[in-house]
């Protein structure tokens, strides 16, 4: 059977209750994710990893509040509270996440001028993170995604994974969403239509 990899998206303190961009129930997935981690031979993590003053932070756009949008050179960008600043506790993985066996950590969003929801491409939809090449070089044809947030980083990663030709599943029990203006159900529909399996 072709190799498969578990990709754990952004299970970081800032996306858990008490964090800067807390996803409701974000910490509830940690035991479920840990069970998945034990079951896979290949485990990859992503880590949202922004420099201070990142262009996705509302705080750097005068007059703008979090969850509003702004036009960037690459298109519309949702603005967020300052979160997952490089080296901060908020950017650390949740303390109960059993990440020791992970063979690769993909950091994303580290360029000041561009955000990156997807583990595969930054928000210009063109700049690769290198993950697709890594998976292909290792003979991995199938990916299973979980983590935070369902409707942003998990969804964009899943859509890019199918577009890149990987057989792609999302474990919804091991995800939680932000749900901004109905984004959760909208992104689940988009993933299904694109051929992502929901398990
Ligand atoms: C995410 C918004 C901003 C995510 C990351 O992990 O879904 N969402 N940065
Ligand atoms: Zn971010």
């Amino acid at each position: 059977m072709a190799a498969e990899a578990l990709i754990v998206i952004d299970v970081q303190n800032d996306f858990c209750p008490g964090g800067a961009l807390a996803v409701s129930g974000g910490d509830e997935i940690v035991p479920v994710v840990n069970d998945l981690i034990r079951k896979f031979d290949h485990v990859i993590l992503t880590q949202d990893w922004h420099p201070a003053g990142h262009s996705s932070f509302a705080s750097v756009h005068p007059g703008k509040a979090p969850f509003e949008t702004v036009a960037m050179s690459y298109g519309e960008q949702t603005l967020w509270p300052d979160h997952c600043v490089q080296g901060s506790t908020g950017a650390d993985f949740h303390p109960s996440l059993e990440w020791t066996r992970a063979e690769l950590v993909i950091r994303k969003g580290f360029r000041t001028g561009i955000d990156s929801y997807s583990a595969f491409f930054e928000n210009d939809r063109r700049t690769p993170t290198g993950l697709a090449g890594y998976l292909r070089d290792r003979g991995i044809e199938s990916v299973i995604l979980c983590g935070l947030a369902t409707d942003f980083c998990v969804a964009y990663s899943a859509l890019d994974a199918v577009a890149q030709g990987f057989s792609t599943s999302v474990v919804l029990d091991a995800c939680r969403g932000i749900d901004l203006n109905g984004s959760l159900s909208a992104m689940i529909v988009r993933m299904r239509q694109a051929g992502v399996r929901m398990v």
Side-chain angles (χ1 to χ4, degrees), residues 15 21 48-50 56-57 80 83-84 108 115-117 153:
F15 297 121
L21 178 42
D48 212 37
W49 196 248
H50 301 307
S56 76
F57 295 170
W80 306 104
H83 66 280
C84 296
K108 59 186 183 60
D115 203 6
S116 187
Y117 295 147
C153 292

Side-chain angles (χ1 to χ4, degrees), residues 118-140:
S118 165
F120 292 90
F121 290 96
E122 301 192 17
N123 283 12
D124 61 0
R125 317 308 300 132
R126 275 207 294 266
T127 307
T129 63
L131 179 57
Y134 177 89
L135 294 171
R136 284 189 196 109
D137 279 356
R138 296 233 150 183
I140 293 165

